[in-house]
Amino acid sequence: MLTRRAALVSGAATLGACALLPSSGNGGRLSERRIGNREITLTAREAKVALGREPAPLWLYDDWPFPVLRMTHGESLSVTLNNALREHTSIHWHGVRVPNAMDGVPYLTQTPVQPGERFTYRFTPPDAGTYFFHPHCNTVEQLGRGLLGALIVEDPPEHYGDDVVLILKDWRLDEHGRFLPFLTDKGAAQAGSFGTLRTVNGRVQPAIDLAARSNVRLRMINADPTRIAEIGIDGGAARVIAVDGNSVAPFALETWKLGPGMRLDVIFDGDKARLLDYFAAEPVVLAELSAPPVAGRGSPVYTVPPPDFSDAWHHTLELGAGVAAADLPNPQPIVLPDGRRIELADSLCLAQGAFWTLDGKSWPGRDHARLPPPLFTLARGQKVVLDIANTTSRSHPIHIHGHTMTVLSASVLKRPIHRADTVLVLPNERVTVGFVADNPGNWMVHCHVVEHQETGMMGWFRVS
Ligand code: C2O
Ligand code: CU
């Protein structure tokens, strides 16, 4: 039966007819598909969905709400992106240590996938974990309109009472349900332009049915372009078992600041609870969880000892603001990882006033078509320690492609040593991370508040 929450999806270019998708029949959960060792196609397309009062044009990978792709560690992934949008796009596999040519960064690792074109991503994820995927061009709009999905790589010995993906994503809609501008000067210069409608799995305060009341793995993904949530669970007991998909020695969840691009996996025991965001004047209820009186099986949690960084190369990565756009370097042909050279075509993504800086430099333009020189070049296998020094009064979730960092210490927000691909750096905080540069290629490093990224706080480094 359809309820008020049912979503109205009407035809986009590739669909033709109208379809009414019930969204209440699956207990607030996303439908999932197993993709290990098989080839699938995701079509990036527009579809009208009534999130607010009126249907709004979302951009989706086939499905509404969001696709969840599951596979087992050791299996291969083959996803063909079919671009049915009117602008170019790509897929970035956020957090996965992919080969460089599969990283989905237009111009830096591949040519952009033009309207009507296809591109196949093929790789075998080297680590189990909770990941997501999204475009890496005009991201503020493409992600803002919903172009994202989850990728779950399971470890074969894992058993849980249940295993549930929770995708946090807000929508910038006016009172009629129309999209508000995705990038505003004020938002870009401050903490970003926040969504007006908060959803989990595409629904406002969904009631999520769990299959058991113990050993339930909740995989929370902050896929919002802007909002930092401070996640807590009221009711039952929750232990953190993974950060950005990487196992940690389990600890009780009090609250955890989950910035854009970050993930948090917990084991939940209980029959009723509320998922809350405490990063507000009043805690905000994001979702309600309920479970039947059925016990679930548990599995061991593994942790990996951090590498020894005593002989690492040290570098201070400064997060700054307020610098006027530097002269744009002349567009130069770019050499892709496979040796092909591409000439730069005009991009859809217009240059935007630069504001934020990484190491004193603002990325020129919102796209990647004008490639500045790398921030640094590393020899393959080199150990690196980055002191990420935030000299600004805003928080920045800093994301590194192709590598997993070990978060070693932080000057303000205490956290256990853990591995991550996105680390939140609070105002005027210094966070020290280490990683081993073991993945050759051209890799982005940027703030995942997308308006910050697209107004300068982005750079790249090369591992030779
Ligand atoms: Cu999730 Cu460079 O991005
Ligand atoms: Cu930022």
Side-chain angles (χ1 to χ4, degrees), residues 13 46 101 113 119 185 189 196 221 242 262 280 286 290 296 410 421 443:
E46 184 169 299
V113 183
F119 183 90
D185 287 346
T196 54
I221 301 173
M262 298 167 71
L286 299 176
S290 58
D421 50 72
W443 301 108

Side-chain angles (χ1 to χ4, degrees), residues 356 395-397 447-449 452-453 457:
W356 300 97
S395 296
H396 305 286
C447 179
H448 221 283
V449 171
H452 292 177
Q453 172 190 358
M457 195 175 278

Side-chain angles (χ1 to χ4, degrees), residues 194-216:
F194 291 95
T196 54
L197 188 74
R198 303 195 63 180
T199 63
V200 173
N201 292 352
R203 282 160 218 147
V204 178
Q205 288 184 352
I208 308 235
D209 293 338
L210 309 178
R213 63 163 55 171
S214 61
N215 289 305
V216 172

Side-chain angles (χ1 to χ4, degrees), residues 45-46 57-61 85 87 141-142 145-147:
R45 63 177 180 96
E46 184 169 299
L58 305 196
W59 293 354
L60 301 170
Y61 293 118
L85 300 173
E87 63 182 58
E141 177 168 9
Q142 294 193 5
R145 287 183 187 265
L147 211 45

Side-chain angles (χ1 to χ4, degrees), residues 367-439:
D367 199 356
H368 307 76
R370 290 164 187 265
L371 204 65
L375 295 174
F376 42 82
T377 296
L378 304 167
R380 190 172 179 181
Q382 191 169 343
K383 287 179 187 166
V384 181
V385 168
L386 293 179
D387 258 314
I388 308 175
N390 186 357
T391 66
T392 79
S393 59
R394 302 290 166 185
S395 296
H396 305 286
I398 298 298
H399 176 51
I400 285 187
H401 286 208
H403 296 80
T404 304
M405 311 176 266
T406 302
V407 179
L408 297 165
S409 65
S411 64
V412 179
L413 182 66
K414 295 300 163 214
R415 15 202 154 169
I417 290 185
H418 65 276
R419 288 176 301 143
D421 50 72
T422 310
V423 63
L424 188 66
V425 189
L426 297 181
N428 299 306
E429 190 178 35
R430 246 184 132 85
V431 175
T432 303
V433 303
F435 67 94
V436 183
D438 54 5
N439 199 355

Side-chain angles (χ1 to χ4, degrees), residues 34 71-76 124-129 152-156:
R34 295 216 73 100
M71 58 193 300
T72 302
H73 188 219
E75 290 178 336
S76 64
T124 300
D127 311 295
I152 308 301
V153 184
E154 299 168 338
D155 245 341

